[in-house]
Amino acid sequence: MPTSRECALHITEQLHMPGEIRVRAMMGDYVVYYNERVVGGIYDGRLLLKDTPSARRMLPLAERIIPYPGAKEMLLVEDLTDTVHLHAVLEAMLPELPKPRPKKPKQ
């Protein structure tokens, strides 16, 4: 079931990280960016984070979910109210994620 824009905005507002978190619509759901790096997505109204070593270590009980056929497993974030811990998870993940590709100049 696709995620509504209102749902995606609600989830990102709960993170209390304006300017650092943004979402982008993608195939009926949303990709989540933290400091311009893809950290996860909002699929079926749930926040899922990439399965990195830091995320696994800091969210040891998180359920692993495949958001769509052919995707890698991601970690389900069930508690969006513990924003301090979630911020720490996202910060720990950053060095493990690829840097954004440089934008091509417009011609």
Side-chain angles (χ1 to χ4, degrees):
M1 173 168 77
T3 302
S4 70
R5 177 136 180 89
E6 293 77 23
C7 178
L9 291 175
H10 175 71
I11 289 173
T12 55
E13 285 172 1
Q14 285 184 300
L15 299 176
H16 303 292
M17 301 169 76
E20 298 172 341
I21 290 278
R22 72 179 178 92
V23 294
R24 182 175 172 203
M26 186 80 58
M27 299 183 302
D29 288 303
Y30 291 83
V31 176
V32 177
Y33 294 83
Y34 176 65
N35 286 334
E36 296 308 311
R37 295 189 191 188
V38 177
V39 293
I42 300 173
Y43 301 94
D44 299 328
R46 305 171 298 178
L47 177 61
L48 303 178
L49 296 179
K50 284 190 167 191
D51 188 1
T52 66
S54 293
R56 254 183 272 125
R57 187 178 59 255
M58 297 178 79
L59 300 168
L61 303 177
E63 182 180 352
R64 286 169 172 74
I65 295 175
I66 297 175
Y68 54 88
K72 294 180 181 179
E73 283 187 338
M74 299 180 87
L75 304 175
L76 174 63
V77 177
E78 293 192 43
D79 183 11
L80 295 173
T81 61
D82 189 356
T83 56
V84 173
H85 180 68
L86 195 50
H87 292 185
V89 172
L90 294 176
E91 280 295 321
M93 289 174 65
L94 277 182
E96 301 168 345
L97 298 170
K99 293 182 180 178
R101 293 180 184 164
K103 294 182 180 179
K104 294 180 182 178
K106 293 183 179 180
Q107 295 180 2

